[in-house]
Every structure is written in structure tokens, then in C-alpha cells.
Amino acid sequence: QVQLVQSGGGLVQPGGSLTLSCATSGFTLGYYAIAWFRQAPGKEREGVACINTQDGSTYYADSVKGRFTISRDNDKITVYLQMNSLQSEDTAVYLCAAQAPWVLTTNWNNFRLWGSWGQGSQVTVSS
């Protein structure tokens, strides 16, 4: 059974940085796609970034390109989301998700296609 355990998050001032972590376990395949989504109050869950843990290829939503970086450790067990130049509109609950790599051939930022989820981390950007 795939398990995703998140850490990180919190309160940060505009222009600041935060890093989220997603520790994974229980994969039966050698590699998976891991993504970060976020959900703000009253809004639909949206894809932020995605990584293919096999080859390290990455994908980003336009709203975070150049500010956020998704990466994995060498053991491909933990995935990170480094968030820089944070803005108030980045305030949301952030969730990591896992799925078999086929999801990368589709619209990866459709949250309905992802099968396993972390517990969520609140990120609040405010002065």
C-alpha cells in the first residue's frame, strides 16, 4: 500500500521561501509519478508540479514556473517542493500525490487521476 507522509509548511511573509517534503513508501513499481497539488478555500484542487521519479523529468503549472522547484532524493523515496518568492495567492493546503507513470501521458494536473494522497500541509503567505 502506497503511503505518503508530508512535512513542512507554515506561515511565511510575502517574498519568502518554504520547502515541503513528501516521504513515500509501499511502491510496488520501481518508480512513480509524484505531484504536488494545492487547494485554497472555495477553489478546486490544482496541480502545482510533478516529477517522474525514474528519469527526473519535471512539469509545472504556469503560475509557479520559475518560483517553485520539485525534486527527489537519490533514493527516490522523498520528493521536495522548494517554494520561493511566495505570494499571498500561494496560500493553500498543499498535498502530495502518487500515481503510476501513465498519468504523465495525460493531463497530469487533473487531481481526479491520482490515486494516493498525503495528509496535506497548510502554507500561509501573509505579512
Side-chain angles (χ1 to χ4, degrees):
Q1 182 178 355
V2 174
Q3 290 190 319
L4 307 174
V5 179
Q6 298 179 218
S7 58
L11 174 65
V12 64
Q13 292 186 339
S17 299
L18 279 176
T19 300
L20 303 178
S21 300
C22 178
T24 69
S25 63
F27 290 160
T28 57
L29 295 177
Y31 57 92
Y32 264 70
I34 304 292
W36 287 97
F37 287 79
R38 67 186 180 186
Q39 188 161 19
K43 294 188 177 181
E44 189 168 87
R45 190 170 297 184
E46 63 170 346
V48 173
C50 177
I51 187 167
N52 181 336
T53 61
Q54 182 186 31
D55 62 12
S57 55
T58 57
Y59 310 81
Y60 294 94
D62 288 343
S63 58
V64 305
K65 279 181 183 176
R67 300 190 298 124
F68 290 13
T69 303
I70 189 170
S71 63
R72 74 205 191 293
D73 62 11
N74 289 334
D75 292 333
K76 306 173 185 177
I77 294 175
T78 301
V79 172
Y80 305 94
L81 184 68
Q82 173 68 43
M83 303 182 291
N84 298 326
S85 302
L86 283 162
Q87 306 163 1
S88 58
E89 50 265 39
D90 296 316
T91 295
V93 174
Y94 284 71
L95 305 102
C96 62
Q99 183 53 280
W102 61 260
V103 73
L104 300 175
T105 67
T106 69
N107 184 16
W108 69 266
N109 55 9
N110 179 352
F111 70 91
R112 298 173 183 85
L113 300 179
W114 294 78
S116 301
W117 292 88
Q119 79 274 22
S121 301
Q122 178 67 47
V123 172
T124 302
V125 185
S126 175
S127 55

